[in-house]
């Protein structure tokens, strides 16, 4: 085994402000050049562990440390944050918070500037790092002109200028669309191989990280390390399911078909997996035993958009002849890359932007296009991605009541409507709490409640599950499904493929301002051409179907989803 | 697009000067213009600045929007001064040449008109040079320039951060206000002033509180990349001084010296043609 | 909570950016035609109370200077300095408020407002007009009346927006309470 870079021995940590330790009994070694995935649900302590690796603990966050953390043989508490950062480079989850320069070149140069390097060698090293990560042609771009993937590359270049030996990635996939996320994983892998740096990736989207192999997976739960093993061993065990981490879809499918998963079958990647003919036969016969569920849902058209075209004042055309029908009571996903027009479409529906051409008919409302933003909100509710951007009151009740108060509804009617809305959203027990006492997911419900209180027929949600772990994701999505079954029409703008596949009755795919597909989610995600154009990623169910010689990948994916919904959940 | 600077990347001798030079010159120039009311000097500055403007290849239409703003501001300020103090010129210059009366205390005097002429010249001496600065200075160079002229690098970096996050905050404000409008928040004139302020809070609170959360992230990101490690730092956008830089600074220093000299020779900040 | 020097630097940058966006784009029509109400002083008072006098001075200075720059009339130093003085005074006087610990009760509201009124009176009643006279030789009655009108408007906006901000921030701080679900 190669040289040890980082060692945790019987390590524990407790924040000053907290009553209980966040980490217990951490024993962990990271070797030079190794690639490790740390997975675990929200609140399991994986972010705190990251802070212990990069030195934010103990130098930025105060608390009590027990045991030892050594970086290249020296206790981190005896080093300084700056010395640690010469060895450990961190890519934070919030790419806009990480990007502090006015342009790409300045951001890459940041660490060198702080080292007082003269400008000439600095320019040279910045150029080399930029070329290494493939962003050399964007040196003068401002962060606002970059995509999420490009920002991440710039961040990585900013670390590579210093030849760090350990790269730490905090949820690198959180803000990327599926195709870009796939590229990011390939790219992280390539950079580590080239530079010989070790990588520690913190991420709960296990299947996406395993697109390229990792040496070990550390599974965390409740502040402890639950498992530290090779991916194949971990995936063959039932540890994932028990700790609230979603296992790769193809493994779930294999289990439904009754295939026994063992480490010898190399289950950690769909391309490496070894299935016997017997296993493949099991999958095929499982498929044959499924009955097609006629899942068509929804009745008459609720919203009908005809030939919408819209250009921003800077001349950029965001929508070109877009026509979309949304049926009453359905759960619809609108997907596509950033800038494909999916957000603009929802803004046009809500009246935030006025299209130059085309019209929208909503139920039997007369002259929808003539209604103001406020008037449209009585029919269509809009929920932003980050609940912190919507909440302005300190008490939950007041927050939910805000829209009614601005409409001059009498106070006793407000009370009953707010109470109804809180009950629907499962917030009734918290009705007299301040908003600050709630978790992120609960805040999300508050914003949904504050929109539902206006009694709209349809709700549009922007990235409803962004940044949520599997448990919270399931919680939010089951709630939306329940709303849908109560007759609300739910439209989700998303690039989360699991969400599409598992929950959306239908997906409308945007690309470059146009609608390029309108199909079931299984149909979209098993269509390689469509997947490529929309910057999505094929579901691994497609690969599994291919592997088992099933021609109808689309039906296979659909049966899988139906089986999950109908059989497993009940 | 940066909404503070309107940097226009069109090579010219003015663009070639370092940011630090342009900032130093701007300060020297504006202090010179602020210090004296010597009309001859104030008449020379606009002519000089128009020449520089031609030199910089910045066109009038690039800055017409801002010129409009400043003209309105200039006219309003002149009107206000006349409204409040129609005899201010008389008290400054000590003589009184009445021209005609507008009724009441509003008697137009030569001294007052001359004072307003000086005010207008003052605007004309500073506005072109400021516009020149914001159109030819790369915002990326601004923080390095501040540091170069003696501002602590930490403070200079605050300015850079402000420029970096203004577009983000602007966009966020826009998105939040749309979502809040849907809930019925209005800031139009239809509402009472108190209600308008309360509505503004409903937009500003989420905007500001989410920005507070961001402060910690950015501060961590900066420390993890060694910010604050040394007593000084270098700048990617820093450039060495060349002959043209030194010459420009000398010219602007001479302007300031002239202004000081004129004030001493005139015995006050005012050049008085009436005595 | 002890704040690191880098956090203060970042707070100044973000504060100045917010000050700029509020001053430049968040226009609330006022009863006087063609004049808008400056919401940015509510923000400045809040940030100064939270991050102290140095941050207050620099947010006022940088934010106001950037606004002036963006209009193209250069820096109107007298008013820029007045904004900085206001930020500094509020930061200095509000040093005992513990917004970070979630404390902002009636006593806090009263003292915050007394301090912001003192700050505005000194900034717009004294500093801005005196500097206008010294630097720009403007007539005294004009500048003092401008200061008075501006000062009163700023006191009102700070009283509303600044107080709401402090209150909302303090309420958002984690507190160990005894909340329990109601059936």
């Amino acid at each position: 085994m190669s040289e040890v870079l980082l060692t945790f021995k019987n390590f524990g940590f407790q924040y000053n402000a907290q009553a209980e330790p966040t980490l217990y009994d951490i024993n962990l070694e990271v070797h030079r050049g190794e690639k490790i995935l740390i997975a675990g649900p929200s609140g399991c302590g994986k972010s705190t562990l990251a802070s212990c690796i990069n030195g934010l603990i103990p130098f930025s966050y105060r608390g009590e440390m027990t045991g030892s953390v050594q970086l290249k043989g020296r206790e981190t508490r005896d080093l300084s944050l700056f010395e640690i950062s010469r060895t450990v480079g961190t890519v934070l989850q919030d790419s806009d918070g990480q990007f502090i320069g006015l342009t790409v070149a300045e951001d890459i140069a940041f660490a060198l500037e702080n080292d007082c390097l003269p400008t000439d060698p600095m320019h040279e090293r910045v150029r080399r790092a930029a070329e290494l990560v493939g962003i050399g042609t964007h040196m003068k771009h401002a962060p606002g002109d970059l995509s999420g993937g490009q920002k991440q590359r710039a961040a990585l270049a900013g670390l590579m200028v210093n030849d760090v030996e350990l790269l730490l990635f905090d949820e690198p996939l959180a803000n990327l669309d599926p195709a870009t996320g796939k590229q990011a994983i390939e790219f992280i892998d390539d950079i580590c191989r080239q530079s010989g740096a070790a990588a520690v990736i913190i991420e709960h989207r296990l299947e996406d990280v395993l697109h390229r192999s990792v040496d070990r997976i550390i599974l965390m739960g409740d502040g402890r390390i639950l498992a530290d093993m090779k991916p194949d061993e971990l995936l063959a065990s039932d540890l994932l399911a028990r700790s609230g981490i979603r296992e790769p879809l193809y493994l779930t499918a294999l289990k439904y078909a009754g295939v026994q998963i063992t480490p010898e079958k190399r289950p950690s990647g769909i391309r490496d997996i070894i299935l016997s003919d017997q296993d493949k036969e099991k999958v095929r016969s499982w498929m044959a035993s499924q009955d097609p569920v006629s899942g068509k849902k929804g009745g008459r058209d609720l919203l009908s958009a005809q030939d919408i075209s819209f250009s921003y004042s800077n001349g950029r055309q965001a929508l070109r002849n877009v026509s979309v029908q949304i049926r009453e009571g359905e759960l619809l996903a609108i997907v596509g890359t950033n800038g494909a027009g999916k957000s603009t479409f929802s803004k046009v529906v809500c009246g935030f932007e006025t299209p130059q051409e085309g019209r929208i008919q909503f139920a039997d409302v007369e002259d929808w296009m003539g209604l103001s933003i406020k008037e449209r909100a009585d029919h269509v509710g809009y929920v932003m991605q980050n609940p912190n951007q919507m909440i302005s009151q300190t008490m939950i009740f007041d927050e939910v009541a805000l829209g009614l108060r601005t409409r001059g509804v009498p106070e006793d009617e407000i009370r009953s409507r707010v109470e109804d809305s809180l009950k629907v959203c499962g917030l009734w027990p918290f009705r007299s709490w301040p908003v600050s006492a709630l978790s992120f997911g609960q805040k999300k419900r508050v914003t949904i409640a504050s929109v539902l209180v206006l009694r709209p027929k349809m709700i549009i949600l922007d990235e409803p599950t962004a940044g949520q772990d599997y448990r919270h994701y399931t919680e939010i999505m089951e709630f939306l499904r329940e709303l849908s079954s109560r007759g609300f029409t739910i439209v989700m703008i998303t690039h989360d493929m699991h969400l599409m596949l598992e929950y959306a009755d239908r997906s409308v795919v945007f690309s470059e301002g146009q609608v390029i597909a309108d199909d079931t989610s299984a149909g979209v995600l098993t269509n390689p051409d469509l997947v490529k154009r929309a910057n999505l990623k094929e579901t691994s169910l497609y690969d599994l179907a291919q592997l088992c010689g099933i021609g109808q990948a689309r039906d296979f994916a659909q049966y899988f989803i139906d089986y999950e919904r109908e059989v497993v959940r009940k | 697009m940066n909404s503070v600077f309107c940097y226009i990347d069109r090579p010219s001798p003015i663009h070639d000067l370092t940011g630090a030079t342009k900032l130093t010159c701007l300060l020297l120039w504006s202090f010179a213009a602020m210090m004296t009311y010597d009309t001859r000097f104030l008449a020379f500055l606009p002519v000089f600045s128009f020449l520089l403007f031609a030199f910089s290849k910045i066109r009038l239409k690039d800055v017409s929007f801002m010129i409009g703003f400043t003209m309105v501001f200039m006219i309003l300020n002149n009107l206000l001064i006349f409204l409040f103090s129609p005899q201010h010129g008389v008290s400054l210059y000590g003589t009184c040449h009445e021209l005609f009366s507008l009724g009441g205390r509003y008697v137009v005097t030569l001294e007052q008109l001359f004072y307003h002429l000086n005010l207008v010249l003052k605007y004309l001496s500073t506005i072109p040079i400021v516009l020149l600065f914001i159109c030819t200075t790369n915002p990326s160079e601004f923080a390095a320039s501040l540091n170069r002229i003696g501002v602590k690098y930490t403070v200079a970096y605050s300015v850079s951060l402000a420029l970096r996050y203004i577009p983000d905050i602007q966009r966020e404000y826009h998105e939040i206000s749309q979502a809040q409008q849907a809930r019925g928040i209005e800031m139009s004139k239809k509402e009472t002033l108190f209600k308008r302020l309360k509505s503004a809070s409903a937009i500003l609170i989420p905007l500001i509180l989410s920005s507070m959360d961001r402060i910690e992230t950015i501060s961590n990101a900066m420390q993890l990349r060694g910010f604050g490690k040394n007593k000084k730092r270098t700048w990617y956008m820093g450039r060495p001084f060349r002959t043209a830089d030194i010459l420009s600074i000398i010219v602007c220093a001479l302007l300031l010296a002239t202004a000081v000299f004129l004030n001493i020779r005139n015995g006050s900040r005012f050049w008085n043609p009436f005595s | 909570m002890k704040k690191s020097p880098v956090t203060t630097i970042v707070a100044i940058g973000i504060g100045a950016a917010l000050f700029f966006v509020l001053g430049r784009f968040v226009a609330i029509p006022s009863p006087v035609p063609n004049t808008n109400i400056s919401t940015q002083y509510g923000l400045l008072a809040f940030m100064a109370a939270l991050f102290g006098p140095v941050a207050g001075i620099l947010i006022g200075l940088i934010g106001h200077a950037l606004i002036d720059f963006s209009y193209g009339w250069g820096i109107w130093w007298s008013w820029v300095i007045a904004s900085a003085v206001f930020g500094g005074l509020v930061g200095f006087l509000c040093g005992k408020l513990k917004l970070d610990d979630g404390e902002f009760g009636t006593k806090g509201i009263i003292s915050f407002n007394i301090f912001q009124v003192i700050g505005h009176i000194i900034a717009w009643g004294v500093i801005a007009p005196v500097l206008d006279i010294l630097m720009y030789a403007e007539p005294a009655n004009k500048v003092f009346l401008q200061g008075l009108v501006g000062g009163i408007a700023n006191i009102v906006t700070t009283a509303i927006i600044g107080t709401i901000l402090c209150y909302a921030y303090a309420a958002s701080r984690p507190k160990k309470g005894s909340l329990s679900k109601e059936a």
Side-chain angles (χ1 to χ4, degrees):
Chain A
M1 205 65 178
S2 58
E3 183 196 343
V4 178
L5 210 52
L6 178 76
T7 327
F8 283 86
K9 266 201 200 102
N10 303 323
F11 179 81
F13 181 77
Q14 179 173 353
Y15 288 101
N16 275 351
Q18 299 205 333
E20 297 278 311
T22 304
L23 295 176
Y24 306 85
D25 300 329
I26 303 292
N27 286 293
L28 176 65
E29 280 188 355
V30 180
H31 299 263
R32 193 172 288 280
E34 228 183 350
K35 195 170 154 207
I36 292 180
L37 167 62
I38 300 183
S42 301
C44 70
K46 59 188 195 299
S47 300
T48 303
L49 187 65
S51 298
C52 295
I53 296 175
N54 63 26
L56 285 176
I57 291 173
F59 297 107
S60 190
Y61 299 117
R62 308 283 158 185
E64 198 187 330
M65 285 165 77
T66 54
S68 125
V69 203
Q70 291 188 341
L71 187 63
K72 297 209 281 184
R74 293 175 65 192
E75 284 295 324
T76 56
R77 70 191 86 178
D78 300 333
L79 301 165
S80 71
L81 186 53
F82 305 130
E83 285 171 285
I84 296 172
S85 70
R86 288 206 145 276
T87 310
V88 182
T90 313
V91 179
L92 300 175
Q93 183 184 344
D94 174 1
S95 60
D96 279 312
Q98 168 114 24
F99 198 121
I100 41 202
L102 283 163
T103 59
V104 170
E106 287 166 80
D107 192 61
I108 297 175
F110 187 76
L112 300 176
E113 293 179 326
N114 295 327
D115 277 336
C116 296
L117 197 73
T119 39
D120 286 338
M122 187 194 297
H123 281 242
E124 175 56 26
R125 274 168 73 176
V126 167
R127 195 184 53 75
R128 264 190 292 149
E131 274 163 18
L132 180 71
V133 304
I135 198 156
T137 50
H138 291 71
M139 297 293 262
K140 284 188 175 176
H141 281 48
D145 306 328
L146 299 175
S147 67
Q150 287 169 327
K151 277 184 220 167
Q152 206 171 60
R153 280 170 191 240
L156 201 49
L159 304 176
M160 296 316 294
V161 288
N162 260 340
D163 302 319
V164 290
E165 292 161 81
L166 194 157
L167 288 166
L168 179 64
F169 295 88
D170 190 4
E171 309 223 0
L173 301 175
N175 301 307
L176 302 179
D177 63 51
T180 312
K182 183 173 153 187
Q183 285 159 16
I185 289 299
E186 291 168 358
F187 171 68
I188 290 170
D189 194 40
D190 294 342
I191 288 285
C192 290
R193 273 175 216 277
Q194 274 176 43
S195 64
V200 174
I201 302 169
I202 294 172
E203 183 60 71
H204 56 85
R205 290 156 74 165
L206 197 73
E207 179 173 350
D208 294 323
V209 178
L210 289 177
H211 171 63
R212 283 281 177 97
S213 65
V214 301
D215 296 312
R216 278 186 293 145
I217 299 176
I218 315 288
L219 184 65
M220 289 189 70
D222 292 329
R224 293 170 200 275
I225 291 182
L226 301 178
D228 176 353
M229 45 176 91
K230 292 207 182 323
D232 288 335
E233 289 168 16
L234 182 68
L235 290 175
S237 73
D238 63 345
L239 280 163
L240 285 178
R242 279 195 292 155
S243 53
I245 296 285
R246 134 127 321 145
E247 66 184 359
L249 280 188
Y250 58 86
L251 290 185
T252 313
L254 285 170
K255 285 181 186 169
Y256 290 164
V259 176
Q260 190 72 34
I261 311 287
T262 59
E264 292 70 36
K265 289 182 180 163
R266 299 175 62 189
S268 65
I270 182 69
R271 276 189 313 274
D272 303 324
I273 198 164
I274 301 164
L275 294 179
S276 64
D277 290 339
Q278 207 184 357
D279 292 337
K280 290 177 185 171
E281 184 48 42
K282 275 187 183 165
V283 175
R284 283 193 294 269
S285 58
W286 175 82
M287 178 167 170
S289 72
Q290 296 300 305
D291 295 320
V293 182
S294 61
K296 269 277 181 274
K297 204 179 153 188
R300 59 189 186 117
D301 280 355
L302 181 64
L303 179 140
S304 153
Q306 296 294 335
D307 292 317
I308 304 282
S309 290
F310 174 77
S311 299
Y312 283 99
S313 54
N314 63 14
R316 190 173 71 82
Q317 184 162 29
L319 297 175
R320 271 185 294 165
N321 300 320
V322 168
S323 297
V324 175
Q325 263 70 39
I326 300 174
R327 287 186 286 272
E328 202 164 345
E330 77 176 334
L331 244 129
L332 176 78
I334 295 185
V335 298
T337 52
N338 291 333
K342 56 192 198 304
S343 303
T344 310
F345 177 72
S346 65
K347 286 179 179 174
V348 166
V349 170
C350 295
F352 300 160
E353 307 286 358
T354 311
Q356 282 85 9
E357 281 171 56
R359 55 173 295 100
I360 294 172
Q361 177 66 42
F362 187 90
D364 42 14
V365 178
E366 262 178 66
D367 188 22
W368 178 258
M369 303 307 280
L371 297 187
S372 69
I373 296 178
K374 186 177 169 183
E375 288 162 337
R376 290 190 198 191
D378 293 333
H379 306 278
V380 177
Y382 175 72
V383 180
M384 295 175 83
Q385 175 175 339
N386 180 353
N388 293 329
Q389 290 190 335
M390 286 187 83
I391 295 174
S392 65
Q393 309 293 313
T394 46
M395 301 306 291
I396 292 171
F397 186 91
D398 296 330
E399 180 61 32
V400 177
L402 183 69
L404 295 176
R405 292 203 170 124
T406 59
R407 283 165 171 77
V409 175
E411 200 62 30
D412 48 336
E413 193 190 333
I414 289 182
R415 177 153 295 277
S416 74
R417 279 172 72 171
V418 169
E419 285 174 358
D420 285 347
S421 186
L422 287 173
K423 277 179 192 157
V424 169
C425 296
L427 292 165
W428 180 243
F430 312 103
R431 59 192 176 276
S432 54
W433 280 27
V435 177
S436 60
L438 300 182
S439 71
F440 187 90
Q442 288 169 327
K443 282 185 189 171
K444 188 106 203 169
R445 283 176 183 237
V446 170
T447 60
I448 296 172
S450 71
V451 161
L452 282 184
V453 79
L454 300 174
R455 297 187 179 151
K457 287 202 175 71
M458 179 169 126
I459 310 173
I460 301 178
L461 299 106
D462 193 0
E463 290 292 353
T465 56
Q468 300 297 299
D469 68 8
Y470 185 48
R471 194 170 65 83
H472 292 103
Y473 157 95
T474 311
E475 222 177 87
I476 292 173
M477 289 315 300
E478 287 299 326
F479 167 60
L480 290 178
R481 201 218 288 283
E482 198 189 309
L483 284 181
S484 155
S485 67
R486 284 168 183 255
F488 290 104
T489 306
I490 310 279
V491 176
M492 300 164 297
I493 301 166
T494 186
H495 41 225
D496 185 324
M497 302 201 332
H498 288 160
L499 185 158
M500 278 172 73
L501 200 56
E502 292 185 281
Y503 290 94
D505 301 317
R506 186 161 69 102
S507 290
V508 173
V509 185
F510 275 74
S511 174
E512 292 174 7
Q514 287 178 301
V515 174
I516 58 166
D518 180 345
D519 196 354
T520 62
S521 303
V524 170
L525 290 173
T526 50
N527 179 336
D529 176 52
L530 207 53
V531 158
K532 202 171 164 203
R533 281 171 69 197
N535 241 24
L536 296 165
K537 205 178 98 185
E538 282 141 28
T539 165
S540 56
L541 295 173
Y542 172 83
D543 299 284
L544 182 63
Q546 302 272 315
L547 192 67
C548 297
I550 297 171
Q552 299 295 319
R554 176 197 174 111
D555 293 342
F556 180 68
Q558 191 63 52
Y559 290 153
F560 173 80
I561 301 159
D562 294 340
Y563 184 78
E564 281 232 305
R565 281 191 196 162
E566 302 300 320
V567 185
V568 181
R569 289 249 170 70
K570 282 174 189 166
Chain B
M1 182 66 195
N2 201 296
S3 50
V4 181
F5 286 79
C6 66
Y7 179 56
I8 298 162
D9 197 358
R10 204 181 280 147
S12 86
I14 310 276
H15 286 77
D16 283 346
L17 296 174
T18 68
T21 306
K22 278 177 279 198
L23 186 61
T24 313
C25 289
L26 177 72
L27 290 174
L28 290 170
W29 183 299
S30 49
F31 277 122
M34 190 166 78
M35 189 166 280
T36 185
Y37 272 83
D38 189 301
T39 320
R40 297 160 299 179
F41 184 69
L42 289 180
F44 165 72
L45 288 182
V47 177
F48 190 20
S49 61
F50 288 139
L51 272 177
L52 290 175
F53 222 86
F55 218 41
S56 70
K57 299 186 185 159
I58 302 296
R59 298 181 201 111
L60 204 59
K61 72 172 169 64
D62 295 330
V63 291
S64 54
F65 171 73
M66 281 189 282
I67 289 180
F69 254 125
T70 51
M71 289 300 125
V72 169
F73 185 72
M74 178 176 90
I75 291 164
L76 270 178
N77 205 26
N78 271 293
L79 281 177
L80 268 180
I81 288 177
F82 183 73
L83 209 66
F84 276 91
S85 197
Q87 302 309 324
H88 194 53
V90 173
S91 66
L92 286 174
Y93 293 105
T95 53
C96 182
H97 298 76
E98 287 188 20
L99 293 176
F100 52 87
S101 171
L102 296 170
R105 62 198 199 99
Y106 294 104
V107 178
V108 179
T109 62
L110 212 51
E111 284 78 5
Q112 183 72 11
L113 287 183
F114 188 67
Y115 170 69
H116 282 291
L117 171 73
N118 278 294
L119 275 187
V120 170
L121 284 175
K122 261 182 191 282
Y123 278 102
L124 294 182
S125 353
T126 30
I127 290 165
I129 211 78
V130 172
L131 292 179
L132 195 61
F133 180 78
I134 55 184
C135 292
T136 64
T137 305
N138 188 337
S140 297
E141 235 191 299
F142 190 64
S145 311
L146 281 172
N147 186 214
R148 184 81 170 250
I149 67 166
V151 176
K152 252 175 83 174
Y153 82 79
T154 47
V155 176
Y157 212 85
S158 297
V159 179
S160 179
L161 283 175
L163 295 174
R164 155 72 181 89
Y165 285 102
I166 282 172
D168 286 23
I169 290 174
Q170 226 177 305
R171 190 176 49 243
E172 216 175 309
Y173 167 73
H174 192 65
E175 287 170 5
I176 293 174
S177 77
Q178 285 177 336
Q180 299 294 55
Q181 274 176 51
R183 294 166 75 192
I185 300 292
E186 269 183 305
M187 290 203 291
S188 68
K189 287 207 165 182
K190 279 186 269 174
E191 303 287 343
T192 62
L193 182 65
F194 182 74
K195 270 205 172 148
R196 264 179 256 160
L197 284 171
K198 272 196 77 176
S199 305
S201 311
I203 298 170
L204 296 184
I205 284 169
L207 176 72
I208 291 167
L209 294 190
S210 57
S211 303
M212 293 297 117
D213 293 341
R214 175 155 279 182
I215 289 175
E216 188 182 280
T217 315
I218 299 170
S219 145
N220 282 343
M222 286 170 65
Q223 291 183 70
L224 284 173
R225 290 160 74 191
F227 188 83
K229 184 195 290 190
N230 297 311
K231 288 254 179 295
K232 54 179 186 149
R233 84 197 287 272
T234 50
W235 302 82
Y236 181 84
M237 294 300 288
R239 284 188 283 161
F241 277 143
R242 280 183 292 193
T243 324
D245 293 296
I246 294 161
L247 278 178
S248 312
I249 293 176
I250 291 174
V251 169
C252 291
L254 282 176
L255 283 180
L256 182 61
T258 313
V260 173
F261 169 75
L262 287 171
N263 276 0
I264 295 169
R265 219 191 54 172
N266 292 339
S268 84
R269 292 168 71 191
F270 294 89
W271 175 66
N272 192 341
F274 301 105
S275 58
Chain C
M1 186 175 83
K2 202 183 128 300
K3 293 191 178 76
S4 85
V6 178
T7 307
T8 309
I9 298 297
V10 178
I12 293 167
I14 298 294
L18 283 165
F19 188 96
F20 176 87
V21 172
L22 263 56
R24 194 73 166 69
F25 301 103
V26 185
I28 301 182
S30 81
V32 186
N34 283 326
T35 41
N36 288 322
I37 283 174
S38 315
T39 50
Q40 68 267 39
Y41 290 100
L43 163 86
L44 178 55
F46 159 68
M47 300 257 334
L50 191 58
F51 292 98
V54 176
I57 291 173
L58 288 169
I59 293 171
L61 189 79
I62 297 169
H64 198 151
L66 291 178
I67 292 177
D68 277 7
F69 251 136
S70 75
Y71 281 115
W73 56 57
I75 295 178
W76 197 268
W77 286 104
S78 46
W79 289 37
V80 171
I81 291 171
S83 285
V85 166
F86 172 73
L89 281 172
V90 173
F92 178 74
L93 293 170
C94 291
K96 286 231 173 81
L97 290 183
K98 288 185 184 137
L99 296 180
D100 263 326
D101 300 337
E103 285 177 25
F104 194 65
T106 320
K107 226 179 111 194
I109 293 176
I110 293 170
S111 49
F112 171 78
N113 278 291
I114 293 175
F115 297 148
Q116 67 97 349
V117 170
I118 295 174
H120 278 311
I121 289 175
I122 295 178
W124 310 107
V126 183
I127 304 284
V130 168
L131 289 178
D132 265 343
I133 295 169
L134 291 179
M135 289 171 148
Y136 303 102
E138 295 212 345
N141 57 354
K142 178 225 169 199
V143 293
F144 276 106
L145 193 84
Q146 272 184 322
L148 187 74
V149 172
I152 289 173
N154 289 344
I155 285 173
V156 174
T157 49
T158 313
I160 298 173
I161 292 179
T163 309
I164 295 179
L165 270 174
C166 289
Y167 180 76
Y169 180 80
S172 76
R173 300 302 296 169
K175 273 188 298 268
K176 283 200 194 69
S178 50
L179 294 169
S180 56
K181 296 181 190 179
E182 298 168 56

